[in-house]
Amino acid sequence: MLRKSHCKNKKIIIGVTGGIAAYKIPQLVRLLKKEGAEVQVVLTEAAKTFVTPETLAVLSEKPALSQFFKSNQGEWNNHVHLGLWADAIIIAPAGANTLAKMAHGLCDNLLMSVILSARCPLFVAPAMDLDMWLHPSTQSNVNTLQQRGVHIIEPTEGELASGLSGKGRMAEPEDLFQGLEQHFQPTENFFLNKRVLITAGGTQEAIDPVRFIGNHSTGKMGFAIAEQLVNLGATVELVYGSVTQTPPIGCHHHHTLSAIEMKTKCEELFPTCDVLIMAAAVADYHIKDVAQEKIKKSSDSLTLELVKNPDILKELSDHKKPNQITIGFALETNNEEFHALEKLQKKNLHCIVLNSLQNPQAGFAKDTNEVTVFCNDGSSFNIPAQEKSKVAESLLNNLSKWLTKQNPS
Ligand code: PMT
């Protein structure tokens, strides 16, 4: 049986700019149409020197657009509508001029206004002479676009229109099509039917019956992950300490307070779990002798002796079975990456999720977070600052992909 294309029924805008590689775009239109995609071509004036709008219109079964106005009666091609209509936009070929305009937000033609109005993923297939490609300004523009999340489909090496040979040829239409196919491929859901133990909130270490040592964790980050795990079809064992939120529905809830209580509960649950994610802020020390009665303020100073708590994550991770996954969080204030990588290694983890208190949009009690995940194969990925629910979604999608790659079934 033939596999259904992931591009089927997707709405795709192909933005064609001036360059010899434009002559290959009819082939890309054909491939996408054959696989059931809806294709709208938008081309620049310069592109028309290399490929005719008529050819593109016939193959896409839609007028190929280049002007803001359809006729001199004032009917216009609504660029905002086009930008919002598309599931993906691919600029191919993208010359140095268009890359520069995109990087700097210039808007002097229909295609640029469609790009600026778009909310969908953007793909760019650069094509130019090798020195133009290597020029620091082009490379800096490509970097800027990449940092904004634009997918760059790298040019390939070979003979160029100038007669020179090197990097600068637009990727072949089949490769552009594959890039879109991969993008629309549903992401792997590693967590479906998995049993996941997640911790959230802060621990409290009693001083006496009325006081404790605690921290600022509210449980927002851990709860957001637990909720998303439920959405992904996992069975979720949620162990939480001191929190300010109501735990999400759909999980098995286990409330604990001290680090020792949290450890006991985690030890009970972990043997039957596939994955452990420790988002809780666990106290490193507890009071050696907890007073049985309320301590009276009889003296001017009070000394409390603290004793080290067990490291829950390290102990569970050191004793995990070969198929169990352990993921920790690292909350840092300085030398963040160094400390996170040290914890990844010392605690024997698959991944560590770094958040830094240096970042005003990250950490304790905030509604937002920004994290960088470091994996034990040396790879890493960043999730930019956004609502904790969105961070949780993106974190689990990325972990899902990484874990599926590590543990192919
Ligand atoms: O709850 P919020 O207000 O939303 O805030 C979220 C958060 C900032 C608490 C969360 O994103 C976070 O970073 N949690 C981990 C905080 C922390 O304790 O980091 P750490 O670097 O001290 O510990 C490293 C890892 O070891 C953590 O996974 C921690 O759970 C674990 N640990 C630490 C000490 C200990 N005795 N046992 C542990 O298991």
Side-chain angles (χ1 to χ4, degrees):
M1 198 178 75
L2 282 176
R3 187 180 60 76
K4 190 180 115 207
S5 163
H6 303 301
C7 288
K8 191 173 166 65
N9 297 330
K10 296 291 184 238
K11 301 187 184 83
I12 294 166
I13 290 180
I14 306 180
V16 190
T17 77
I20 183 68
Y23 84 89
K24 296 182 179 174
I25 298 307
Q27 172 63 2
L28 176 62
V29 178
R30 282 192 68 236
L31 283 169
L32 284 165
K33 287 292 292 178
K34 194 166 138 254
E35 297 301 340
E38 214 180 317
V39 177
Q40 173 66 66
V41 177
V42 180
L43 69 171
T44 62
E45 284 305 316
K48 291 181 187 170
T49 325
F50 301 96
V51 62
T52 70
E54 289 77 7
T55 307
L56 296 164
V58 169
L59 293 172
S60 66
E61 298 176 277
K62 280 181 197 293
L65 308 175
S66 56
Q67 302 294 327
F68 282 96
F69 290 93
K70 286 183 190 169
S71 64
N72 51 14
Q73 270 95 53
E75 212 187 336
W76 69 310
N77 292 313
N78 186 332
H79 55 88
V80 178
H81 171 79
L82 280 168
L84 298 180
W85 170 85
D87 294 312
I89 297 181
I90 179 163
I91 318 297
N97 189 35
T98 298
L99 291 176
K101 286 189 205 174
M102 287 177 74
H104 298 283
L106 269 68
C107 187
D108 62 353
N109 59 32
L110 179 67
L111 178 59
M112 286 311 304
S113 59
V114 170
I115 293 171
L116 286 175
S117 308
R119 296 186 189 163
C120 63
L122 267 175
F123 291 77
V124 167
M128 64 198 77
D129 213 59
L130 81 162
D131 293 310
M132 292 171 77
W133 172 247
L134 290 176
H135 196 280
S137 56
T138 306
Q139 288 302 307
S140 151
N141 290 333
V142 169
N143 269 340
T144 304
L145 293 175
Q146 239 162 352
Q147 274 165 20
R148 275 188 216 145
V150 174
H151 305 274
I152 308 290
I153 305 177
E154 289 275 319
T156 59
E157 299 211 10
E159 275 181 31
L160 301 164
S162 61
L164 296 173
S165 184
K167 194 165 180 181
R169 285 171 67 92
M170 186 184 79
E172 292 302 317
E174 289 74 14
D175 299 324
L176 303 183
F177 172 74
Q178 278 312 321
L180 290 166
E181 267 294 275
Q182 254 172 33
H183 169 74
F184 288 119
Q185 187 176 1
T187 40
E188 302 286 351
N189 180 1
F190 179 85
F191 297 101
L192 178 68
N193 298 327
K194 292 283 193 305
R195 201 174 185 82
V196 184
L197 170 57
I198 167 132
T199 66
T203 57
Q204 291 185 352
E205 304 301 331
I207 298 172
D208 68 13
V210 293
R211 304 174 182 99
F212 59 82
I213 297 177
N215 59 60
H216 300 290
S217 176
T218 56
K220 286 181 189 174
M221 190 67 249
F223 284 180
I225 299 172
E227 190 165 15
Q228 186 56 25
L229 282 165
V230 172
N231 293 341
L232 290 173
T235 300
V236 182
E237 301 292 350
L238 172 60
V239 177
Y240 64 97
S242 150
V243 292
T244 59
Q245 320 282 303
T246 313
I249 52 170
C251 312
H252 301 138
H253 299 163
H254 310 274
H255 184 41
T256 60
L257 272 183
S258 67
I260 303 281
E261 275 175 43
M262 187 173 271
K263 176 173 181 269
T264 307
K265 188 44 80 179
C266 288
E267 277 175 346
E268 178 192 318
L269 295 166
F270 187 56
T272 58
C273 288
D274 304 292
V275 182
L276 165 69
I277 304 177
M278 289 255 351
V282 183
D284 288 323
Y285 293 90
H286 66 268
I287 310 295
K288 185 169 180 221
D289 297 308
V290 178
Q292 296 309 303
E293 307 292 340
K294 183 179 175 188
I295 299 173
K296 300 291 174 206
K297 50 175 179 188
S298 46
S299 56
D300 283 347
S301 66
L302 175 69
T303 304
L304 296 170
E305 191 178 347
L306 302 178
V307 199
K308 211 170 195 175
N309 270 331
D311 189 318
I312 308 172
L313 181 57
K314 178 168 169 46
E315 288 191 16
L316 293 178
S317 200
D318 280 347
H319 296 102
K320 63 180 176 289
K321 291 178 256 176
N323 57 345
Q324 284 182 307
I325 309 290
T326 53
I327 297 166
F329 265 72
L331 180 63
E332 305 296 343
T333 55
N334 63 309
N335 282 342
E336 290 91 337
E337 185 170 332
F338 173 81
H339 291 304
L341 289 172
E342 195 175 47
K343 283 175 188 170
L344 173 73
Q345 195 240 326
K346 283 198 174 150
K347 297 190 190 222
N348 194 14
L349 307 173
H350 289 87
C351 306
I352 192 133
V353 184
L354 165 67
N355 39 191
S356 167
L357 286 187
Q358 295 283 353
N359 182 339
Q361 291 177 288
F364 285 134
K366 304 270 165 52
D367 288 328
T368 55
N369 208 0
E370 172 169 0
V371 301
T372 305
V373 182
F374 297 98
C375 306
N376 66 0
D377 63 350
S379 62
S380 65
F381 54 91
N382 176 261
I383 298 171
Q386 55 200 306
E387 297 284 306
K388 280 182 173 165
S389 58
K390 292 276 170 212
V391 171
E393 198 180 321
S394 181
L395 172 68
L396 293 176
N397 282 343
N398 279 285
L399 286 173
S400 214
K401 279 189 205 151
W402 187 81
L403 289 166
T404 309
K405 217 163 64 186
Q406 309 298 309
N407 308 273
S409 48

